Each structure stands twice: as C-alpha cells, then as structure tokens.
C-alpha cells in the first residue's frame, strides 16, 4: 500500500447546534495580574473569562456613585471559564457510520493476507 492512507474520514462541523446547559462546566481560573502586582503570563489571559462588560450608566448616575464611596476598592471575585469537555458530541458529526470504518479495516486486512 505504500504511503496511501488506510481510509478517509469525512466530518461535518455543526457549530449552530445549541449546547445544553448541563454540558457546560465552569472551571476556576486565577485573576489576571501581570508583574509587579502578580505573576500572570500573557498566555494565561482568557478574553472570554477575564474581561467584563460594565452595564451602561445613565447621565448623572456615575457622579452619584463616586460621591457615595470614593475610596471603595474593587472586591476580588472568583472568575470561572466555561468549558465543554464533550463538545465533539454536539458540533462534530462523522459522515460515515461505525460499520463503514470496520468494513474498511477488515477489507484492508483481507487484502494484506491475500
């Protein structure tokens, strides 16, 4: 057979399928603090987990909050990264059935034995 592949696999990506909430697993991640305040590295930064969008404030609302407690420090909140360990079950579909793979392997063994 040389360098020919044993068999080909066709897959279809279906990223439009919704993933059930039960499959989403939150994983704790550390706060992103670069030196000198922390020891985080650039590769530790996760845009989807470390960046937060503040709600829009109406005019005058910002001024009131600053006047109430000007020395208020930010509270450390544990961050979580959403992961989907079995995403392939939802987004990847093999175009061939399991039997097709088994048949092809058996056929290759038969040819090799002949």
């Amino acid at each position: 057979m040389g360098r020919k592949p044993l068999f080909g696999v066709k897959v279809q990506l279906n990223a439009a399928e919704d993933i059930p909430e039960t499959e989403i697993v939150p994983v704790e991640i550390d706060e992103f603090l670069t030196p000198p305040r922390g020891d985080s590295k650039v590769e530790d930064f996760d845009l989807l987990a470390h960046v937060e969008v503040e709600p829009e404030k109406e005019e005058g609302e910002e001024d009131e909050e600053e006047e109430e407690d000007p020395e208020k420090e930010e509270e450390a909140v544990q961050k979580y990264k959403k992961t989907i360990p079995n995403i392939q079950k939802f987004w990847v579909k093999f175009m061939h059935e399991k039997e097709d793979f088994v048949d092809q392997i058996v056929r290759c063994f038969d040819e090799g034995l002949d």
Side-chain angles (χ1 to χ4, degrees), residues 28-45:
E28 286 186 14
I29 58 172
D30 295 328
E31 188 175 8
F32 185 77
L33 296 171
T34 54
R37 289 184 23 196
D39 58 352
S40 298
K41 299 178 184 112
V42 174
E43 52 270 6
D44 297 334
F45 183 74

Side-chain angles (χ1 to χ4, degrees), residues 1 4-8 104-105 108-109:
M1 287 184 89
K4 292 193 318 186
L6 186 59
F7 52 86
Q104 185 66 29
I105 292 171
C108 287
F109 278 121

